[in-house]
Amino acid sequence: MPLLACLAVLALAPPVRARAQEAPPPDPINAQLPQWLRVSAASRFRLDSDHLLQRLRIGTRITPTRQVQLVAELQDARAFGFERTDGSVRDVLDVRQAWIGLGREQGWADLKVGRQKLAFGSERVVGGAEWANTARVFDAAKLSVHHAGIRVDLFG
């Protein structure tokens, strides 16, 4: 009998509608800066069994023209209570990204040169492993050619 009551309630319930898009949170710092200058900051704390992982990233993006971008990001990653001190969990204050971009992803081609994130094949081929405390970046040049839904990436 309780099963029939539950089925009746479900059958008579109004359809579930998707929630409206929530407005992005306010960004008081970038609101005060010129449109060509953006800053970002992110902090992450993660407790793993008997140690604490902490990661702080601070970055900036300068876009002097629609065709040129300059990106820089610093990272400080630490592990408290962890005996291993290798680079997989700890990297005290390092340049995470520093690249220049020419062209636009909305155009036919774009080129990025410098230390940057790369992700190909859902990160099974090449990827940064963002889940790690010190995610990987690559010193690379990447040329992307794209048009009408087709994209070819060349990198080295």
Side-chain angles (χ1 to χ4, degrees):
M1 194 66 172
L3 178 61
L4 286 175
C6 289
L7 290 174
V9 168
L10 289 175
L12 298 174
V16 176
R17 293 191 172 91
R19 291 189 320 183
Q21 287 283 348
E22 294 180 11
D27 189 353
I29 294 174
N30 283 321
Q32 302 300 316
L33 296 174
Q35 201 62 23
W36 54 267
L37 176 63
R38 296 284 149 226
V39 295
S40 62
S43 181
R44 182 181 85 170
F45 291 90
R46 187 174 79 200
L47 184 61
D48 279 356
S49 62
D50 61 347
H51 57 277
L52 176 68
L53 301 175
Q54 172 268 327
R55 181 173 75 195
L56 173 66
R57 292 182 180 163
I58 299 173
T60 186
R61 178 181 301 262
I62 299 171
T63 312
T65 72
R66 292 179 64 189
Q67 301 293 325
V68 177
Q69 292 183 64
L70 301 161
V71 172
E73 183 180 50
L74 298 175
Q75 174 178 277
D76 184 79
R78 298 172 189 249
F80 302 98
F82 196 66
E83 292 183 23
R84 276 187 19 217
T85 58
D86 62 14
S88 67
V89 293
R90 185 171 84 76
D91 189 9
V92 179
L93 196 58
D94 193 10
V95 176
R96 174 165 161 71
Q97 293 191 81
W99 54 266
I100 184 169
L102 303 173
R104 299 179 56 214
E105 287 195 18
Q106 296 81 11
W108 279 75
D110 64 282
L111 173 70
K112 290 182 183 175
V113 178
R115 181 171 284 191
Q116 59 189 287
K117 296 186 289 185
L118 294 176
F120 294 100
S122 298
E123 293 195 26
R124 290 185 302 273
V125 178
V126 173
E130 280 294 321
W131 52 266
N133 204 40
T134 57
R136 292 185 298 261
V137 290
F138 303 90
D139 293 330
K142 181 179 85 164
L143 173 65
S144 299
V145 180
H146 28 75
H147 181 65
I150 298 172
R151 180 183 182 108
V152 176
D153 292 311
L154 305 169
F155 65 94

